[in-house]
Amino acid sequence: MLVMLKGIALLLCTLGMFSVFSMKAPKGSLAMSGMANAAVATFLVEAVLKYITGDLIGISFLGEVGATSGGMGGVAAAFLVPLAMGVNPVFCAVAGVAMGGYGILPGFMAGYIVGLLAPYVEKYLPNGVNMIFGAFALAPLARGVGALAGPAVDAAMATIGGTITAATTQNPIVMGFVLGGIIKMICTSPLSSMALTAMLGLTGLPMGIAAIACFGGSFTNGMIFYGLKLGDNSKVVSVMLEPLTQADVITKNPIPIYCSNFIGGGLAGVGAAFLGIVNNAPGTASPIPGMIAPFAFNDPATVALALAIAAAGGLLAGALGVYVFNYSPVKNSVHVYRQA
C-alpha cells in the first residue's frame, strides 16, 4: 500500500510540475507540443516498424528503420521543440544533430534552451553573420545542456517511473484505475500525455495501461460530445481521434468532460491491468498510438480483448456522464457547460 501511495503521489507531483511548466514557463505549452511530436516521430515509429513489421512480421528493412528511429529521441526533441517555439529551422537542425546519442529528455531540455536563445541571435546579429554564429554557438550549447543537466533529470524521471512501475506491479487493478484515469485526463487536457509518459520513460504494464486508457477514453469523449451536444458529428469524430483538436470546447466544459474521462480511462486501465497488457514504447499515450503500440508486445487476441473492454468501459463512462450532467434532476444545470 505504501508503494502504491508513493507512486500516485510522485505521479501527481510530476503532473503538477509539468502543468506549471506548460502554463507558466515562456512558450512552455509550445515546447511540450514539440516534445509530443518527437515521441510520435521516434517511439511510435519504433513500436510499429521495429516490433510489429520487423520482429513480428519479419520485414527486416522496416525493422531497421524502426530501430533507427527509436534511437533518435534526443535529436527529434532538440529539433521539434524549438521548431514548435517558432525558431528558424536551420537553428533547430543545428540543435538536433548536436544531440545525437542522447535521449528524448536531454533533447527536450536542450531544445527548449535553444528555443529561448536562438531568436536573440537572429535578431541582434546581421543577416548572414547570425546564421554562421548561430550554427557554431548553438550546437555546443545544445550538447552542453544535455551533458550537464540531462543525466540528473533522466535519473529523477527514471526513479519516478520506476516507483510507478513498482506500485503497478504490487497493486495492478487499483493502479490500473488510478493511472488510467489520470493519464486519460491528461490526454484530454491541453497538456500532453505522450510527452509526460516519454519524460517518465514508462514501459511495461504502466505504459500498457496508459495506452489502453487513452484509447478507451476516446469513446468517453465521443459519447460526451454527442450526448451533451457539444458540437456536430465532425467534432465528435475529431475529439475521439485527437482530443487536442477540440481544446477550445474542452476548456469551456471541463467538469463533465474530465470527470467522465477519469472514469472511462480508469475502467480501460483496469481491463489492461487485468489482462497484463505491456507496452515497451514510452510516449505512445494517445488514442491512435495507444491502440496500435500494444500489438507489438502482446498476443494480438489479448490486445483486441483489452481494446474491446476499454471501448465498452469508455462508452459506459460517457453514458453515465451524459446522464449525470444532462438528464439527472440533480444536475439539470448542465446547459451552463455547453458551447455557446
Side-chain angles (χ1 to χ4, degrees), residues 180-205:
I182 291 175
I183 291 296
K184 184 55 196 176
M185 288 178 65
I186 299 170
C187 178
T188 306
S189 75
L191 302 175
S192 171
S193 53
M194 297 186 71
L196 176 64
T197 53
M199 290 173 68
L200 292 174
L202 289 187
T203 56
L205 182 58

Side-chain angles (χ1 to χ4, degrees), residues 85 112 172 275 333:
M85 296 169 68
Y112 181 68
L275 294 173
S333 61

Side-chain angles (χ1 to χ4, degrees), residues 148-172:
L148 291 175
V153 178
D154 270 343
M157 292 295 104
T159 299
I160 296 172
T163 303
I164 295 172
T165 300
T168 305
T169 301
Q170 291 192 11
N171 301 274

Side-chain angles (χ1 to χ4, degrees), residues 39-325:
V40 172
T42 56
F43 296 136
L44 179 59
V45 173
E46 179 186 34
V48 175
L49 296 187
K50 180 180 186 297
Y51 297 110
I52 295 180
T53 59
D55 295 347
L56 187 62
I57 299 178
I59 304 176
S60 58
F61 171 73
L62 294 180
E64 181 182 353
V65 173
T68 302
S69 299
M72 300 291 283
V75 174
F79 179 87
L80 290 172
V81 168
L83 185 66
M85 296 169 68
V87 170
N88 186 310
V90 175
F91 292 154
C92 298
V94 166
V97 297
M99 292 301 294
Y102 279 93
I104 194 168
L105 188 52
F108 166 77
M109 298 173 65
Y112 181 68
I113 296 299
V114 169
L116 293 178
L117 297 181
Y120 293 99
V121 174
E122 196 166 17
K123 179 179 179 179
Y124 291 109
L125 292 178
N127 287 335
V129 175
N130 55 12
M131 299 300 293
I132 297 172
F133 178 83
F136 285 114
L138 295 177
L141 172 66
R143 195 163 186 88
V145 170
L148 291 175
V153 178
D154 270 343
M157 292 295 104
T159 299
I160 296 172
T163 303
I164 295 172
T165 300
T168 305
T169 301
Q170 291 192 11
N171 301 274
I173 302 302
V174 175
M175 283 298 293
F177 185 82
V178 174
L179 181 61
I182 291 175
I183 291 296
K184 184 55 196 176
M185 288 178 65
I186 299 170
C187 178
T188 306
S189 75
L191 302 175
S192 171
S193 53
M194 297 186 71
L196 176 64
T197 53
M199 290 173 68
L200 292 174
L202 289 187
T203 56
L205 182 58
M207 192 62 234
I209 290 170
I212 297 296
C214 288
F215 170 80
S218 292
F219 292 86
T220 304
N221 280 330
M223 180 67 75
I224 287 291
F225 266 58
Y226 179 80
L228 298 184
K229 298 179 175 59
L230 298 179
D232 56 21
N233 290 338
S234 66
K235 286 186 175 293
V236 173
V237 173
S238 295
V239 77
M240 292 182 69
L241 295 177
E242 177 48 66
L244 292 181
T245 62
Q246 303 303 317
D248 57 329
V249 180
I250 291 169
T251 53
K252 292 177 183 177
N253 304 272
I255 297 177
I257 293 175
Y258 289 142
C259 290
S260 301
N261 265 270
F262 181 81
I263 297 174
L267 293 175
V270 169
F274 180 77
L275 294 173
I277 300 297
V278 298
N279 180 5
N280 292 323
T284 51
S286 187
I288 296 177
M291 176 183 67
I292 297 174
F295 282 100
F297 310 100
N298 305 271
D299 176 67
T302 304
V303 176
L305 178 59
L307 293 176
I309 293 173
L315 289 171
L316 176 62
L320 179 63
V322 170
Y323 173 77
V324 169
F325 291 102

